[in-house]
Amino acid sequence: RYVPEDITTLLSMTQPLKLRGFQKWDVFCEAVHNMMANTLLPADGKGVMVALRPVPGIRVEQALTLCRPNRTGDIMTIGGNRLVLFLSFCRVNDLDTALNHIFPLPTGDIFSNRMVWFEDSLISAELVQMRLLSPEMWGKPLPLTQGPNPVLNAEHDGRVWRRIPKPLRLQDDTVERTS
Ligand code: C2E
Ligand code: C2E
């Protein structure tokens, strides 16, 4: 008997689009792989993958706490001292715009090195490399990032992140009273 393709198979192929935020290394690779294999999505227009290496003195786990994707379908992972982001449907020319939405600080202050992949074949080739990374090199989020977002003294105004200024007294009362 002819069995039509199960609708749940089609639905599961689009699942990565429902993910957001941190994913374990293997889950990330699987999700991006599924997107690349999804013929319902535009060829070479599925998104941009970017790998970022933190500046010396910042651990990749710390950099991860600053990575706050808002758009469903934007996912990231850490491993081998790199933070890897997949930005769904982002165009490569818009990468900086998207990163400015996602990080509260200029990414140049956090990362010293960036690699970008934006065509299906190039993303798939990088995934082959990523899948070779042994599990002991996979990063684990700091306990902080597993709960709700930590309090951050900054807000997103729709375009960029801005620090929220705090009033600060330069002199306290005891200093004013002396003399
Ligand atoms: P979403 O795609 O999951 O995005 C969640 C939030 O991320 C948005 O909330 C917005 O604050 C931010 N965001 C995502 N992509 C962009 C972007 O390209 N530019 C800017 N400036 N911010 C972005 P928001 O605006 O309340 O939208 C809620 C949901 O409504 C979105 O969820 C999306 O599903 C839909 N949506 C809103 N505007 C658009 C749009 O212009 N195009 C599409 N395709 N969907 C939209
Ligand atoms: P796009 O997805 O074609 O969106 C074009 C413009 O539509 C955005 O310009 C924004 O003004 C509006 N827009 C799209 N989605 C949303 C939404 O969910 N909420 C709101 N409030 N507005 C939305 P914008 O912000 O300058 O972004 C330009 C391009 O940068 C976007 O083109 C997209 O390719 C990329 N981008 C920006 N933010 C994000 C992001 O958070 N995640 C991803 N994956 N891409 C982003």
Side-chain angles (χ1 to χ4, degrees), residues 3-53:
V3 180
E5 193 163 6
D6 191 343
I7 187 69
T8 55
T9 310
L10 288 172
L11 288 174
S12 73
M13 284 167 73
T14 61
Q15 283 299 318
L17 294 169
K18 299 206 180 100
L19 298 176
R20 179 163 63 95
F22 178 81
Q23 312 295 325
K24 248 177 74 202
W25 189 267
D26 54 341
V27 175
F28 177 94
C29 291
E30 181 70 13
V32 180
H33 172 82
N34 286 346
M35 271 191 90
M36 293 306 126
N38 188 343
T39 51
L40 301 174
L41 301 176
D44 292 333
K46 299 179 181 76
V48 177
M49 189 161 82
V50 53
L52 302 159
R53 202 176 285 284

Side-chain angles (χ1 to χ4, degrees), residues 77-141:
T77 191
I78 52 173
N81 196 35
R82 297 194 306 178
L83 190 158
V84 189
L85 268 163
F86 183 80
L87 304 176
S88 62
F89 304 119
C90 185
R91 282 157 308 205
V92 68
N93 291 337
D94 294 325
L95 178 59
D96 285 314
T97 307
L99 292 176
N100 283 337
H101 289 156
I102 290 168
F103 289 95
L105 299 171
T107 49
D109 291 359
I110 314 169
F111 303 103
S112 56
N113 186 279
R114 162 202 290 205
M115 288 179 79
V116 181
W117 301 269
F118 57 91
E119 282 167 13
D120 294 356
S121 61
L122 299 177
I123 292 172
S124 295
E126 179 56 21
L127 283 175
V128 172
Q129 295 303 311
M130 285 177 67
R131 282 173 153 169
L132 298 176
L133 190 74
S134 60
E136 57 270 28
M137 300 289 284
W138 300 355
K140 267 213 194 83

Side-chain angles (χ1 to χ4, degrees), residues 96-97 100-104 154-163:
D96 285 314
T97 307
N100 283 337
H101 289 156
I102 290 168
F103 289 95
E155 63 186 8
H156 195 266
D157 66 5
R159 299 245 96 214
V160 291
W161 285 88
R162 306 205 77 99
R163 316 265 173 96

